Amino acid sequence: MDWAFLVVAIMNLSFVLGVLLNLGGVLTWVERKQGAVMANRIGANRAYIPIPIPQKGGGVKWSKRFTVMGLWHGIADGAKMIMKEDYTPPFVDKYIYNIAPWFAVVPVLVTFAVIPFGGPFQPGIMLSDVFGLVGADFASEWVMALFGERTFQMQLADLNVGLLFVFAVGSTGIFSAALAGWASNNKYSLLGALRSSSQMISYEVFMGMAILGLVVIYGTVDMNLIAQMQGDVWFGFLPKWGIFLQPHMFFIFMAALMAENKRVPFDMPEAESELVAGYFTEYSAMKMGLFMMAEFIEIAVIAGLLTALFFGAYHVPGVHGAGDAFYWAAHPELTPGNYVFGMEVPHVVVVVGRVGSFLAKLLFFCWFQILIRWTLPKFRYDQIMRLGWKILLPLSLVNLVLTAVVVLLIGG
Amino acid sequence: MGTQRGKNKGFENLVDGQVLPQPAYQGEFTEGEIVQYYNPESMTWAERIYLPYVLAGLGLTAKVFLRNMVTWFVWLTYWVRGKGAEAKRGATTIYYPHEMRPDFSPVNRGKHILTMRDNDDPQCVACYMCATACPAFCIHIVAGEHPDPAIEKYPVRFDIEIDKCIFCGYCEEACPVDAIRLTTDVHLVDYKRERMVYDREYLLTWKPTYVEEEHVYPGDRPRKS
Ligand code: SF4
Ligand code: SF4
C-alpha cells in the first residue's frame, strides 16, 4: 500500500472539495452582493443570528445586528432548502425525476479532478520545513520517513487525457436538464429541457474546437503538462500563458463555457420570463437546491478551467519551483530548486504562493462571470443559435486551421 | 416669407438649400407598395459584431463596482474611527430600519397625535368635525359626557384607521380646539391589519413608531390589545 500517495490524495481531495463546496455557497452571497454594488445598492443584509445581550436591570435583549454583511443568507438558503417539504408530484417519472439532480452536481465536481491547482510539490520537504520552524522535530522526521523527497502533483487525477476528460464529463451535464425536463411531465419543463439540450450540444461543438488551437500549440491534452508549459517565458519577461497565445479564443471558449452553465446571457433553459423555471419547474426543496448548487459550483469550475488553460494555472510570473522541468530545461545555468525572482526560498513558500496564485485567479474569474451575469441582457433563442453555429463555430474552425498552418511553418 | 414659401411649394424638408427625402408616410402610396414605417436598421459594424460593446458595457459596470468598493473602503476607514457619518458609503440606498433618511420635510404629514390638557385628559371635545371633514371616513369617535359642564363632551373612543387615511390633513384643519395634529412620523407598518387601527391611548402617546436604540423594527411595535 502506497501510504504516501494515499495521504497526498486525501489532502488534495479535501482541499478541492473544501474550496468548491464552500465557493458554491459563498458565490450565492457574492452574486447578490456584487449585483447590488454594481447598481449602487447595498444588497442582502437582513439574515442575522440573534445575540443575547444581558441588560443591566436583568433580562436579555436579542440583538439583531449580527448580520456579517449578509453572509448568513447563504446558510439561511441552505437551511430553508433542506427543511422544506421535498414534494414529488404524483405525475412524474419517479426514478428519473430523483436521479436527475445528481447528473447536475456530479459532472461539475468531477470535472475539477483534472485541473492542476498547485503544480508539483514535495510534501516531505514542505511539511518538515514547517514542522522544523515550529520546533516539532519528531514530526519532521516522521513526514520525511513517509514522503521522502518524492514529488507529487497538486491535482486530483493526473490523467494524460485531461482535456478530453473535461469534455467527456462536461457533456454528461446535458443529461441533468434533459432528464429533469422529460421526467417532470410538464410542458414548461419539457420546453426547457429541449432548449437546454440543443443549446448545450451546439455550444459543446465549438467549445472543443476553440480549445483545439491551444492543443495544437502545446502538443498535448494533458492538463498538467499544459500548466507546466505555461510557466515558460518569452523574451525573458512575457509569461507563455494561453491568453497571450490565443487571446481571441479565450472569449469564444468562455462564451461556450458560460452557455454550458446556462446562466444569464445564455439562460434559455430556465428563462423565468417565459418558462416559469424551465427544466426544474417541478422540483422543490433540496432537489431544486442541487440544481442551483451545481450552477454555482460550475462557476468556480469554469473559472478553474479558464485559469488552467489561459492564465498560467498556478504560476506566478517570474516565480519557479521544484519540478518545473520545462523551466529548468530552458535555464541550464540554474540548478533546480525553489527560486523567487532568483532568490532561493523554502519550498513551502513556493507551494503556498502557487496555490494562492491559482485561487486568486480563480476568484477573479468567478467575479468576472458574475459581472457578465449582471451586465448583459438575455439572448433570444434564435440569437443564441445564430451566434453559436454561424459565428463562433466558423471562427473557431478558421482559427484551428490557421494555428495548425502557423505551427507547421514555424515548427512548433 | 411669402417668397420663401413659394420656393418650397411641395413642403420639402429644406436644409441648407438641399431637399431631404420625404419620410415615407407623408407621400402618396401606390397600391402594393411596401412602406417602411420604422427607421432602417442603422447599426455600425462594431455594433453588429457585438463584442466591442459587450466589453464596453462590462467596463462600465466594472467601473461602477470598483468605484463603489473604493468608496466603501474609504468609508470604512472613517467608520472605524467612529466618524462614519462624515464619508459617503458608495450605495445610494440605506439600511432602512437602522437608518432613517435625514431629508424628510419638517412639514411632512404623517401619523396623528391627540393633544392633551394640563391634566393629561385629551383636548378633544368630541365635536365630530374631523370625522365629518375626513374624506376617507377613517375617524371613528364615540362621545361621552364630560364631568366639567364647560367642556360638555370628551371622546370615549377615538379610532383612526391609519391604513385608510390619505394624510390630507383636513382633520387637523377642521378641529376647533387644536386637538388633533399630524406629525412627521411615516414609519407606519405592521404585520396585522387590525393593529393598523390606532386607538385613543396610542394617539395620546407621542412616542415615534420606530425607536433606533431599542432595535425595534417598525413592525415589532409593542401595542396594547
Ligand atoms: S388626514 Fe385626512 S384622511 Fe387622514 S384622518 Fe385626517 S382627514 Fe382623514
Ligand atoms: S375636530 Fe378636534 S375636537 Fe372635534 S372630534 Fe375631532 S379631534 Fe376632537
Side-chain angles (χ1 to χ4, degrees):
Chain A
M1 183 100 221
D2 190 352
W3 288 106
F5 182 80
L6 195 67
V7 172
V8 170
I10 290 175
M11 271 162 60
N12 281 343
L13 193 63
S14 45
F15 179 80
V16 166
L17 280 187
V19 167
L20 279 190
L21 296 181
N22 282 319
L23 263 184
V26 170
L27 281 178
T28 61
W29 172 78
V30 174
E31 166 134 323
R32 289 173 175 149
K33 214 64 177 171
Q34 189 183 334
V37 174
M38 281 164 58
N40 290 339
R41 288 183 286 115
I42 292 174
N45 61 2
R46 277 292 172 269
Y48 59 86
I49 289 192
I51 302 287
I53 299 173
Q55 297 295 297
K56 275 220 187 73
V60 287
K61 213 159 65 176
W62 292 85
S63 167
K64 296 172 177 177
R65 288 297 188 87
F66 189 49
T67 56
V68 204
M69 313 209 305
L71 256 180
W72 303 125
H73 277 265
I75 295 175
D77 281 348
K80 183 200 86 170
M81 279 176 189
I82 288 172
M83 295 199 297
K84 261 169 93 167
E85 184 193 356
D86 186 5
Y87 179 70
T88 306
F91 46 80
V92 301
D93 183 325
K94 295 250 170 4
Y95 180 68
I96 299 180
Y97 175 89
N98 285 327
I99 211 170
W102 297 104
F103 273 103
V105 182
V106 172
V108 172
L109 285 177
V110 169
T111 307
F112 208 89
V114 292
I115 294 179
F117 59 87
F121 80 131
Q122 291 159 312
I125 293 176
M126 186 186 94
L127 289 175
S128 63
D129 274 359
V130 176
F131 288 135
L133 220 61
V134 296
D137 286 335
F138 67 95
S140 298
E141 283 162 25
W142 189 76
V143 289
M144 279 312 277
L146 179 61
F147 297 113
E149 302 235 333
R150 273 176 72 182
T151 302
F152 293 89
Q153 295 296 332
M154 280 201 257
Q155 184 186 22
L156 285 186
D158 190 3
L159 298 179
N160 57 1
V161 291
L163 210 46
L164 300 183
F165 179 82
V166 171
F167 293 136
V169 172
S171 56
T172 55
I174 297 175
F175 285 118
S176 82
L179 291 183
W182 183 258
S184 288
N185 196 4
N186 171 322
K187 290 193 182 63
Y188 290 125
S189 304
L190 186 59
L191 280 174
L194 288 177
R195 282 183 178 192
S196 84
S197 313
S198 57
Q199 172 182 324
M200 289 172 81
I201 288 173
S202 312
Y203 276 67
E204 209 129 81
V205 170
F206 67 87
M207 185 170 85
M209 290 289 175
I211 211 63
L212 273 185
L214 271 188
V215 172
V216 166
I217 293 176
Y218 290 135
T220 176
V221 287
D222 186 337
M223 296 284 278
N224 196 17
L225 286 183
I226 291 180
Q228 281 187 13
M229 285 184 196
Q230 294 185 68
D232 214 344
V233 284
W234 275 323
F235 321 120
F237 71 97
L238 190 63
K240 210 169 181 176
W241 289 1
I243 182 77
F244 299 118
L245 290 167
Q246 299 245 302
H248 47 305
M249 283 304 114
F250 169 72
F251 294 105
I252 295 184
F253 189 60
M254 194 170 72
L257 284 176
M258 291 196 67
E260 289 289 296
N261 197 7
K262 310 187 281 285
R263 274 165 61 79
V264 153
F266 301 101
D267 73 333
M268 275 302 124
E270 22 181 309
E272 284 87 355
S273 49
E274 302 155 23
L275 296 182
V276 189
Y279 58 92
F280 55 77
T281 306
E282 294 294 345
Y283 282 82
S284 57
M286 202 57 207
K287 287 208 197 90
M288 183 268 202
L290 281 179
F291 284 116
M292 301 304 285
M293 204 170 86
E295 206 169 84
F296 279 102
I297 293 175
E298 192 161 357
I299 296 179
V301 173
I302 290 173
L305 266 179
L306 290 175
T307 307
L309 290 172
F310 283 94
F311 279 81
Y314 45 81
H315 289 289
V316 189
V319 178
H320 307 282
D324 229 343
F326 291 90
Y327 181 74
W328 301 121
H331 299 271
E333 73 278 8
L334 297 170
T335 44
N338 301 295
Y339 288 91
V340 174
F341 298 119
M343 278 183 304
E344 189 150 14
V345 293
H347 184 53
V348 61
V349 175
V350 173
V351 169
V352 170
R354 285 173 156 185
V355 174
S357 142
F358 182 83
L359 281 183
K361 293 173 195 169
L362 184 115
L363 288 180
F364 172 79
F365 281 111
C366 292
W367 174 84
F368 190 61
Q369 285 176 69
I370 293 179
L371 186 79
I372 291 176
R373 185 246 179 275
W374 286 112
T375 303
L376 299 186
K378 193 164 79 182
F379 285 110
R380 237 172 30 222
Y381 195 70
D382 60 322
Q383 287 170 332
I384 285 191
M385 283 297 141
R386 203 176 56 204
L387 184 73
W389 287 104
K390 287 195 177 167
I391 300 172
L392 296 184
L393 179 64
L395 271 183
S396 34
L397 278 174
V398 167
N399 171 68
L400 175 60
V401 171
L402 287 185
T403 314
V405 168
V406 169
V407 167
L408 201 65
L409 287 183
I410 66 171
Chain B
M1 285 307 285
T3 50
Q4 286 273 325
R5 188 171 295 162
K7 266 187 201 163
N8 197 359
K9 266 220 179 69
F11 295 98
E12 292 115 337
N13 290 329
L14 267 180
V15 175
D16 292 342
Q18 277 194 318
V19 181
L20 296 184
Q22 289 275 358
Y25 50 83
Q26 279 190 5
E28 286 180 12
F29 309 132
T30 54
E31 204 167 323
E33 186 188 2
I34 299 167
V35 182
Q36 229 183 1
Y37 287 98
Y38 47 86
N39 292 332
E41 188 178 335
S42 59
M43 289 211 291
T44 62
W45 185 78
E47 279 166 349
R48 229 171 308 142
I49 66 167
Y50 197 59
L51 191 60
Y53 282 84
V54 166
L55 292 181
L58 287 175
L60 181 72
T61 44
K63 196 183 83 191
V64 175
F65 177 82
L66 293 177
R67 192 190 63 206
N68 282 339
M69 287 314 285
V70 168
T71 327
W72 186 79
F73 275 113
V74 170
W75 171 81
L76 206 61
T77 63
Y78 278 80
W79 181 78
V80 293
R81 288 181 279 143
K83 294 195 258 177
E86 287 176 25
K88 276 181 64 181
R89 203 175 40 193
T92 47
T93 46
I94 53 165
Y95 287 96
Y96 163 59
H98 299 309
E99 295 170 8
M100 298 295 171
R101 282 181 61 166
D103 53 351
F104 274 126
S105 162
V107 293
N108 182 50
R109 293 196 291 262
K111 191 202 141 221
H112 305 67
I113 53 168
L114 286 181
T115 56
M116 284 184 276
R117 296 174 195 278
D118 290 343
N119 59 357
D120 284 5
D121 274 355
Q123 180 95 39
C124 171
V125 294
C127 68
Y128 288 79
M129 282 211 193
C130 54
T132 312
C134 179
F137 303 114
C138 66
I139 304 183
H140 308 286
I141 306 168
V142 176
E145 192 166 347
H146 201 274
D148 184 351
I151 299 174
E152 290 186 12
K153 289 199 289 179
Y154 78 103
V156 179
R157 293 188 59 182
F158 195 107
D159 296 337
I160 296 183
E161 291 175 71
I162 205 75
D163 50 349
K164 278 194 198 162
C165 171
I166 56 169
F167 302 102
C168 59
Y170 285 1
C171 49
E172 197 178 21
E173 275 181 43
C175 183
V177 291
D178 189 20
I180 189 164
R181 288 188 197 166
L182 269 62
T183 62
T184 56
D185 188 357
V186 294
H187 311 288
L188 313 169
V189 291
D190 214 315
Y191 292 116
K192 286 217 169 112
R193 187 169 285 181
E194 306 90 71
R195 306 216 313 180
M196 296 305 285
V197 179
Y198 288 178
D199 58 5
R200 198 188 82 162
E201 271 59 48
Y202 187 64
L203 291 169
L204 282 168
T205 47
W206 297 353
K207 215 167 103 179
T209 44
Y210 173 67
V211 184
E212 162 77 9
E213 304 83 53
E214 295 179 5
H215 307 300
V216 180
Y217 284 73
D220 295 350
R221 179 166 42 83
R223 288 276 317 275
K224 290 193 299 185
S225 76

